Amino acid sequence: MNESVKYGVVIPTLNEVNNIVPLVKKIQGCGLENLEIIVVDENSPDGTCQAVNDFAGDNPLVKGVLNDGIRGLSPSIVKGFRLAQGEFLACMDGDLQHDVNDLPKLLKRLENTDFVIGSRYVEGGGFKEKWNPFRVLASKTAALMAKIIFGVKVKDPMSGFFAVRKEAFEYVAPKLSPKGFKIMLELVFRLNHSDRAFIVKEEGITFGLRQHGKSKLNSKVIIDYIFMLMALRKTV
């Protein structure tokens, strides 16, 4: 581990060429020092990964890598976390919906906790613009289902914005599903059911609208989420 790197931000991407460089620039300007940014791309045909590396040049603290293993969001994030050098890690989407201004407080809260969930439904959280009723309902239903099926009391398991200590991630990583769908919720589940006492907290974040491209939320995403909950429940 490079001792000069304290924070690592992992961004999984699929066709985010119009969003990714503006996002990387925002992260670089958010006030965090000793920061590494890793974009893990799903071999996007639009050239997302190449755009990152063209922007990075010879800067070793910004890199785009391809997910050349099992396809999917969770495997991409796991690869990024394993590559990351910092003690404190964060994951955020590449579509500019997550507010970079929330990133420092999530990472710095890891000074006294192990996992921080970025939540739109706790104090300090919310939306920059009004969401359509379907997306709000889907989000709140996802939280209710997580609580009912395996007792994880998380108000916003679908936010996709979170921070974790590298040590905590590495402790539960061997138990993560290789084809996991919502890794944030799976990590919370594994940490809560670990033989070690990990501390999980929620922190308010502000959620915006996608700047470019299309949302990936659809009926298949919801079905995959339900099956993931059921599969995790069987491992208890």
Side-chain angles (χ1 to χ4, degrees), residues 65-102:
V65 298
L66 295 176
N67 174 12
D68 51 5
I70 298 173
R71 300 295 299 273
L73 181 68
S74 290
S76 291
I77 296 169
V78 169
K79 178 170 183 173
F81 280 172
R82 285 177 171 155
L83 290 173
Q85 304 173 76
E87 177 187 1
F88 301 141
L89 309 178
C91 175
M92 62 191 305
D93 290 346
D95 57 12
L96 296 174
Q97 288 185 288
H98 293 147
D99 191 339
V100 173
N101 292 322
D102 292 322

mmCIF file of all heavy atoms in Angstrom, residues 65-102:
data_model
loop_
_atom_site.group_PDB
_atom_site.id
_atom_site.type_symbol
_atom_site.label_atom_id
_atom_site.label_comp_id
_atom_site.label_asym_id
_atom_site.label_seq_id
_atom_site.Cartn_x
_atom_site.Cartn_y
_atom_site.Cartn_z
ATOM 1 N N VAL A 65 -9.279 1.527 -15.798
ATOM 2 C CA VAL A 65 -8.959 0.116 -16.018
ATOM 3 C C VAL A 65 -10.216 -0.586 -16.524
ATOM 4 O O VAL A 65 -11.337 -0.152 -16.258
ATOM 5 C CB VAL A 65 -8.446 -0.580 -14.734
ATOM 6 C CG1 VAL A 65 -7.163 0.061 -14.251
ATOM 7 C CG2 VAL A 65 -9.504 -0.526 -13.628
ATOM 8 N N LEU A 66 -10.029 -1.652 -17.252
ATOM 9 C CA LEU A 66 -11.149 -2.424 -17.768
ATOM 10 C C LEU A 66 -11.466 -3.580 -16.840
ATOM 11 O O LEU A 66 -10.556 -4.224 -16.293
ATOM 12 C CB LEU A 66 -10.828 -2.957 -19.168
ATOM 13 C CG LEU A 66 -10.638 -1.911 -20.259
ATOM 14 C CD1 LEU A 66 -10.225 -2.589 -21.559
ATOM 15 C CD2 LEU A 66 -11.915 -1.099 -20.469
ATOM 16 N N ASN A 67 -12.741 -3.840 -16.661
ATOM 17 C CA ASN A 67 -13.161 -5.029 -15.929
ATOM 18 C C ASN A 67 -13.058 -6.207 -16.889
ATOM 19 O O ASN A 67 -13.958 -6.457 -17.688
ATOM 20 C CB ASN A 67 -14.597 -4.875 -15.420
ATOM 21 C CG ASN A 67 -15.109 -6.153 -14.772
ATOM 22 O OD1 ASN A 67 -14.348 -7.077 -14.508
ATOM 23 N ND2 ASN A 67 -16.407 -6.201 -14.516
ATOM 24 N N ASP A 68 -11.939 -6.921 -16.807
ATOM 25 C CA ASP A 68 -11.693 -8.031 -17.724
ATOM 26 C C ASP A 68 -12.059 -9.376 -17.115
ATOM 27 O O ASP A 68 -11.722 -10.422 -17.658
ATOM 28 C CB ASP A 68 -10.233 -8.049 -18.173
ATOM 29 C CG ASP A 68 -9.262 -7.983 -17.000
ATOM 30 O OD1 ASP A 68 -9.733 -8.026 -15.844
ATOM 31 O OD2 ASP A 68 -8.047 -7.885 -17.235
ATOM 32 N N GLY A 69 -12.771 -9.330 -15.965
ATOM 33 C CA GLY A 69 -13.203 -10.569 -15.325
ATOM 34 C C GLY A 69 -14.693 -10.776 -15.501
ATOM 35 O O GLY A 69 -15.243 -10.563 -16.589
ATOM 36 N N ILE A 70 -15.357 -11.171 -14.427
ATOM 37 C CA ILE A 70 -16.808 -11.359 -14.462
ATOM 38 C C ILE A 70 -17.473 -10.013 -14.708
ATOM 39 O O ILE A 70 -17.180 -9.026 -14.047
ATOM 40 C CB ILE A 70 -17.312 -11.963 -13.134
ATOM 41 C CG1 ILE A 70 -16.690 -13.344 -12.929
ATOM 42 C CG2 ILE A 70 -18.833 -12.070 -13.118
ATOM 43 C CD1 ILE A 70 -16.987 -13.947 -11.572
ATOM 44 N N ARG A 71 -18.376 -9.975 -15.688
ATOM 45 C CA ARG A 71 -19.047 -8.721 -16.018
ATOM 46 C C ARG A 71 -20.048 -8.347 -14.938
ATOM 47 O O ARG A 71 -20.620 -9.206 -14.274
ATOM 48 C CB ARG A 71 -19.764 -8.859 -17.370
ATOM 49 C CG ARG A 71 -18.858 -9.180 -18.539
ATOM 50 C CD ARG A 71 -17.904 -8.037 -18.814
ATOM 51 N NE ARG A 71 -18.589 -6.810 -19.155
ATOM 52 C CZ ARG A 71 -18.968 -6.485 -20.388
ATOM 53 N NH1 ARG A 71 -18.744 -7.313 -21.390
ATOM 54 N NH2 ARG A 71 -19.578 -5.333 -20.621
ATOM 55 N N GLY A 72 -20.272 -7.068 -14.792
ATOM 56 C CA GLY A 72 -21.271 -6.614 -13.842
ATOM 57 C C GLY A 72 -20.762 -5.488 -12.964
ATOM 58 O O GLY A 72 -19.547 -5.256 -12.833
ATOM 59 N N LEU A 73 -21.700 -4.777 -12.354
ATOM 60 C CA LEU A 73 -21.387 -3.631 -11.517
ATOM 61 C C LEU A 73 -20.558 -4.021 -10.297
ATOM 62 O O LEU A 73 -19.505 -3.435 -10.022
ATOM 63 C CB LEU A 73 -22.688 -2.953 -11.076
ATOM 64 C CG LEU A 73 -22.546 -1.708 -10.208
ATOM 65 C CD1 LEU A 73 -21.946 -0.573 -11.021
ATOM 66 C CD2 LEU A 73 -23.895 -1.295 -9.641
ATOM 67 N N SER A 74 -21.021 -5.015 -9.551
ATOM 68 C CA SER A 74 -20.319 -5.400 -8.330
ATOM 69 C C SER A 74 -18.899 -5.883 -8.594
ATOM 70 O O SER A 74 -17.962 -5.466 -7.903
ATOM 71 C CB SER A 74 -21.120 -6.459 -7.567
ATOM 72 O OG SER A 74 -22.286 -5.896 -7.014
ATOM 73 N N PRO A 75 -18.678 -6.777 -9.577
ATOM 74 C CA PRO A 75 -17.296 -7.186 -9.858
ATOM 75 C C PRO A 75 -16.391 -6.013 -10.228
ATOM 76 O O PRO A 75 -15.207 -6.004 -9.887
ATOM 77 C CB PRO A 75 -17.460 -8.163 -11.031
ATOM 78 C CG PRO A 75 -18.830 -8.720 -10.867
ATOM 79 C CD PRO A 75 -19.644 -7.566 -10.366
ATOM 80 N N SER A 76 -16.943 -5.022 -10.915
ATOM 81 C CA SER A 76 -16.143 -3.847 -11.263
ATOM 82 C C SER A 76 -15.715 -3.096 -10.002
ATOM 83 O O SER A 76 -14.557 -2.672 -9.872
ATOM 84 C CB SER A 76 -16.939 -2.912 -12.175
ATOM 85 O OG SER A 76 -17.145 -3.486 -13.446
ATOM 86 N N ILE A 77 -16.637 -2.926 -9.070
ATOM 87 C CA ILE A 77 -16.328 -2.212 -7.833
ATOM 88 C C ILE A 77 -15.318 -2.993 -7.008
ATOM 89 O O ILE A 77 -14.361 -2.432 -6.453
ATOM 90 C CB ILE A 77 -17.608 -1.955 -7.026
ATOM 91 C CG1 ILE A 77 -18.545 -1.030 -7.816
ATOM 92 C CG2 ILE A 77 -17.277 -1.331 -5.668
ATOM 93 C CD1 ILE A 77 -19.943 -0.922 -7.247
ATOM 94 N N VAL A 78 -15.504 -4.306 -6.919
ATOM 95 C CA VAL A 78 -14.559 -5.147 -6.173
ATOM 96 C C VAL A 78 -13.158 -5.022 -6.769
ATOM 97 O O VAL A 78 -12.164 -4.901 -6.040
ATOM 98 C CB VAL A 78 -15.020 -6.616 -6.169
ATOM 99 C CG1 VAL A 78 -13.915 -7.536 -5.644
ATOM 100 C CG2 VAL A 78 -16.269 -6.771 -5.304
ATOM 101 N N LYS A 79 -13.053 -5.052 -8.073
ATOM 102 C CA LYS A 79 -11.746 -4.905 -8.718
ATOM 103 C C LYS A 79 -11.122 -3.570 -8.355
ATOM 104 O O LYS A 79 -9.928 -3.488 -8.024
ATOM 105 C CB LYS A 79 -11.876 -5.026 -10.234
ATOM 106 C CG LYS A 79 -10.548 -4.834 -10.954
ATOM 107 C CD LYS A 79 -10.608 -5.180 -12.430
ATOM 108 C CE LYS A 79 -9.225 -5.042 -13.069
ATOM 109 N NZ LYS A 79 -9.189 -5.525 -14.464
ATOM 110 N N GLY A 80 -11.920 -2.509 -8.386
ATOM 111 C CA GLY A 80 -11.398 -1.192 -8.038
ATOM 112 C C GLY A 80 -10.924 -1.122 -6.606
ATOM 113 O O GLY A 80 -9.848 -0.558 -6.312
ATOM 114 N N PHE A 81 -11.689 -1.682 -5.682
ATOM 115 C CA PHE A 81 -11.300 -1.665 -4.272
ATOM 116 C C PHE A 81 -10.017 -2.463 -4.047
ATOM 117 O O PHE A 81 -9.181 -2.093 -3.216
ATOM 118 C CB PHE A 81 -12.424 -2.235 -3.409
ATOM 119 C CG PHE A 81 -13.545 -1.258 -3.128
ATOM 120 C CD1 PHE A 81 -14.706 -1.687 -2.496
ATOM 121 C CD2 PHE A 81 -13.453 0.064 -3.496
ATOM 122 C CE1 PHE A 81 -15.742 -0.797 -2.219
ATOM 123 C CE2 PHE A 81 -14.485 0.970 -3.236
ATOM 124 C CZ PHE A 81 -15.624 0.526 -2.591
ATOM 125 N N ARG A 82 -9.865 -3.555 -4.770
ATOM 126 C CA ARG A 82 -8.647 -4.364 -4.607
ATOM 127 C C ARG A 82 -7.420 -3.639 -5.156
ATOM 128 O O ARG A 82 -6.309 -3.799 -4.645
ATOM 129 C CB ARG A 82 -8.835 -5.715 -5.270
ATOM 130 C CG ARG A 82 -9.735 -6.647 -4.458
ATOM 131 C CD ARG A 82 -9.992 -7.970 -5.129
ATOM 132 N NE ARG A 82 -10.671 -8.895 -4.213
ATOM 133 C CZ ARG A 82 -11.439 -9.903 -4.597
ATOM 134 N NH1 ARG A 82 -11.619 -10.139 -5.897
ATOM 135 N NH2 ARG A 82 -12.014 -10.683 -3.706
ATOM 136 N N LEU A 83 -7.618 -2.827 -6.184
ATOM 137 C CA LEU A 83 -6.511 -2.064 -6.756
ATOM 138 C C LEU A 83 -6.174 -0.831 -5.921
ATOM 139 O O LEU A 83 -5.036 -0.349 -5.943
ATOM 140 C CB LEU A 83 -6.847 -1.622 -8.177
ATOM 141 C CG LEU A 83 -6.918 -2.705 -9.260
ATOM 142 C CD1 LEU A 83 -7.435 -2.107 -10.564
ATOM 143 C CD2 LEU A 83 -5.553 -3.338 -9.482
ATOM 144 N N ALA A 84 -7.151 -0.323 -5.189
ATOM 145 C CA ALA A 84 -6.984 0.930 -4.458
ATOM 146 C C ALA A 84 -5.917 0.814 -3.376
ATOM 147 O O ALA A 84 -5.802 -0.207 -2.697
ATOM 148 C CB ALA A 84 -8.315 1.363 -3.849
ATOM 149 N N GLN A 85 -5.162 1.878 -3.222
ATOM 150 C CA GLN A 85 -4.056 1.882 -2.260
ATOM 151 C C GLN A 85 -4.425 2.510 -0.922
ATOM 152 O O GLN A 85 -3.727 2.330 0.065
ATOM 153 C CB GLN A 85 -2.879 2.661 -2.853
ATOM 154 C CG GLN A 85 -2.403 2.143 -4.199
ATOM 155 C CD GLN A 85 -1.356 3.045 -4.808
ATOM 156 O OE1 GLN A 85 -0.199 3.038 -4.402
ATOM 157 N NE2 GLN A 85 -1.760 3.863 -5.772
ATOM 158 N N GLY A 86 -5.491 3.282 -0.880
ATOM 159 C CA GLY A 86 -5.821 4.048 0.316
ATOM 160 C C GLY A 86 -6.427 3.214 1.427
ATOM 161 O O GLY A 86 -6.930 2.113 1.223
ATOM 162 N N GLU A 87 -6.406 3.796 2.623
ATOM 163 C CA GLU A 87 -7.016 3.169 3.795
ATOM 164 C C GLU A 87 -8.527 3.345 3.791
ATOM 165 O O GLU A 87 -9.278 2.489 4.268
ATOM 166 C CB GLU A 87 -6.429 3.799 5.060
ATOM 167 C CG GLU A 87 -7.035 3.300 6.362
ATOM 168 C CD GLU A 87 -6.543 4.062 7.579
ATOM 169 O OE1 GLU A 87 -5.742 5.005 7.404
ATOM 170 O OE2 GLU A 87 -6.962 3.718 8.696
ATOM 171 N N PHE A 88 -8.994 4.477 3.255
ATOM 172 C CA PHE A 88 -10.413 4.802 3.225
ATOM 173 C C PHE A 88 -10.881 4.848 1.771
ATOM 174 O O PHE A 88 -10.323 5.590 0.955
ATOM 175 C CB PHE A 88 -10.670 6.148 3.893
ATOM 176 C CG PHE A 88 -10.221 6.226 5.322
ATOM 177 C CD1 PHE A 88 -9.633 7.377 5.812
ATOM 178 C CD2 PHE A 88 -10.369 5.151 6.182
ATOM 179 C CE1 PHE A 88 -9.216 7.457 7.140
ATOM 180 C CE2 PHE A 88 -9.964 5.210 7.502
ATOM 181 C CZ PHE A 88 -9.377 6.378 7.983
ATOM 182 N N LEU A 89 -11.933 4.079 1.455
ATOM 183 C CA LEU A 89 -12.389 3.931 0.075
ATOM 184 C C LEU A 89 -13.828 4.407 -0.073
ATOM 185 O O LEU A 89 -14.625 4.308 0.862
ATOM 186 C CB LEU A 89 -12.297 2.467 -0.363
ATOM 187 C CG LEU A 89 -10.962 1.762 -0.130
ATOM 188 C CD1 LEU A 89 -11.060 0.305 -0.569
ATOM 189 C CD2 LEU A 89 -9.837 2.478 -0.852
ATOM 190 N N ALA A 90 -14.151 4.895 -1.254
ATOM 191 C CA ALA A 90 -15.525 5.301 -1.554
ATOM 192 C C ALA A 90 -15.894 4.811 -2.942
ATOM 193 O O ALA A 90 -15.038 4.625 -3.806
ATOM 194 C CB ALA A 90 -15.687 6.815 -1.473
ATOM 195 N N CYS A 91 -17.190 4.602 -3.141
ATOM 196 C CA CYS A 91 -17.721 4.234 -4.446
ATOM 197 C C CYS A 91 -18.833 5.208 -4.796
ATOM 198 O O CYS A 91 -19.690 5.508 -3.951
ATOM 199 C CB CYS A 91 -18.263 2.808 -4.427
ATOM 200 S SG CYS A 91 -19.087 2.311 -5.960
ATOM 201 N N MET A 92 -18.810 5.709 -6.029
ATOM 202 C CA MET A 92 -19.878 6.583 -6.491
ATOM 203 C C MET A 92 -20.125 6.328 -7.967
ATOM 204 O O MET A 92 -19.263 5.804 -8.675
ATOM 205 C CB MET A 92 -19.543 8.045 -6.224
ATOM 206 C CG MET A 92 -18.319 8.567 -6.926
ATOM 207 S SD MET A 92 -17.803 10.215 -6.319
ATOM 208 C CE MET A 92 -19.303 11.183 -6.534
ATOM 209 N N ASP A 93 -21.325 6.673 -8.425
ATOM 210 C CA ASP A 93 -21.698 6.453 -9.816
ATOM 211 C C ASP A 93 -20.963 7.426 -10.737
ATOM 212 O O ASP A 93 -20.551 8.513 -10.316
ATOM 213 C CB ASP A 93 -23.197 6.613 -9.998
ATOM 214 C CG ASP A 93 -23.991 5.486 -9.353
ATOM 215 O OD1 ASP A 93 -23.374 4.468 -8.998
ATOM 216 O OD2 ASP A 93 -25.225 5.630 -9.212
ATOM 217 N N GLY A 94 -20.877 7.045 -12.014
ATOM 218 C CA GLY A 94 -20.194 7.867 -12.987
ATOM 219 C C GLY A 94 -21.097 8.790 -13.779
ATOM 220 O O GLY A 94 -20.663 9.348 -14.790
ATOM 221 N N ASP A 95 -22.345 8.960 -13.339
ATOM 222 C CA ASP A 95 -23.305 9.731 -14.142
ATOM 223 C C ASP A 95 -23.591 11.128 -13.603
ATOM 224 O O ASP A 95 -24.511 11.801 -14.067
ATOM 225 C CB ASP A 95 -24.611 8.957 -14.268
ATOM 226 C CG ASP A 95 -25.222 8.596 -12.919
ATOM 227 O OD1 ASP A 95 -24.763 9.140 -11.884
ATOM 228 O OD2 ASP A 95 -26.145 7.764 -12.891
ATOM 229 N N LEU A 96 -22.809 11.558 -12.604
ATOM 230 C CA LEU A 96 -22.932 12.888 -12.000
ATOM 231 C C LEU A 96 -24.179 13.068 -11.139
ATOM 232 O O LEU A 96 -24.494 14.192 -10.731
ATOM 233 C CB LEU A 96 -22.877 13.987 -13.076
ATOM 234 C CG LEU A 96 -21.561 14.094 -13.852
ATOM 235 C CD1 LEU A 96 -21.692 15.123 -14.981
ATOM 236 C CD2 LEU A 96 -20.405 14.476 -12.939
ATOM 237 N N GLN A 97 -24.881 11.977 -10.827
ATOM 238 C CA GLN A 97 -26.042 12.098 -9.938
ATOM 239 C C GLN A 97 -25.616 12.229 -8.478
ATOM 240 O O GLN A 97 -26.316 12.852 -7.684
ATOM 241 C CB GLN A 97 -26.971 10.899 -10.116
ATOM 242 C CG GLN A 97 -27.741 10.905 -11.420
ATOM 243 C CD GLN A 97 -28.747 9.777 -11.512
ATOM 244 O OE1 GLN A 97 -28.384 8.612 -11.674
ATOM 245 N NE2 GLN A 97 -30.008 10.107 -11.408
ATOM 246 N N HIS A 98 -24.491 11.629 -8.120
ATOM 247 C CA HIS A 98 -23.971 11.775 -6.763
ATOM 248 C C HIS A 98 -23.209 13.088 -6.660
ATOM 249 O O HIS A 98 -22.360 13.386 -7.506
ATOM 250 C CB HIS A 98 -23.055 10.598 -6.411
ATOM 251 C CG HIS A 98 -23.770 9.292 -6.312
ATOM 252 N ND1 HIS A 98 -23.192 8.091 -6.661
ATOM 253 C CD2 HIS A 98 -25.028 8.995 -5.904
ATOM 254 C CE1 HIS A 98 -24.054 7.111 -6.465
ATOM 255 N NE2 HIS A 98 -25.178 7.636 -6.010
ATOM 256 N N ASP A 99 -23.509 13.862 -5.634
ATOM 257 C CA ASP A 99 -22.896 15.173 -5.449
ATOM 258 C C ASP A 99 -21.495 15.010 -4.860
ATOM 259 O O ASP A 99 -21.343 14.509 -3.739
ATOM 260 C CB ASP A 99 -23.769 16.015 -4.514
ATOM 261 C CG ASP A 99 -23.358 17.479 -4.469
ATOM 262 O OD1 ASP A 99 -22.198 17.784 -4.820
ATOM 263 O OD2 ASP A 99 -24.188 18.309 -4.074
ATOM 264 N N VAL A 100 -20.494 15.444 -5.602
ATOM 265 C CA VAL A 100 -19.110 15.323 -5.135
ATOM 266 C C VAL A 100 -18.898 16.072 -3.823
ATOM 267 O O VAL A 100 -18.026 15.719 -3.024
ATOM 268 C CB VAL A 100 -18.143 15.826 -6.223
ATOM 269 C CG1 VAL A 100 -16.710 15.866 -5.706
ATOM 270 C CG2 VAL A 100 -18.224 14.926 -7.454
ATOM 271 N N ASN A 101 -19.696 17.093 -3.552
ATOM 272 C CA ASN A 101 -19.566 17.834 -2.290
ATOM 273 C C ASN A 101 -19.840 16.955 -1.076
ATOM 274 O O ASN A 101 -19.433 17.298 0.036
ATOM 275 C CB ASN A 101 -20.517 19.033 -2.284
ATOM 276 C CG ASN A 101 -20.122 20.095 -3.295
ATOM 277 O OD1 ASN A 101 -18.940 20.355 -3.489
ATOM 278 N ND2 ASN A 101 -21.099 20.693 -3.947
ATOM 279 N N ASP A 102 -20.539 15.831 -1.285
ATOM 280 C CA ASP A 102 -20.813 14.914 -0.176
ATOM 281 C C ASP A 102 -19.665 13.933 0.065
ATOM 282 O O ASP A 102 -19.618 13.271 1.103
ATOM 283 C CB ASP A 102 -22.088 14.105 -0.458
ATOM 284 C CG ASP A 102 -23.345 14.957 -0.434
ATOM 285 O OD1 ASP A 102 -23.416 15.871 0.412
ATOM 286 O OD2 ASP A 102 -24.245 14.716 -1.246
#
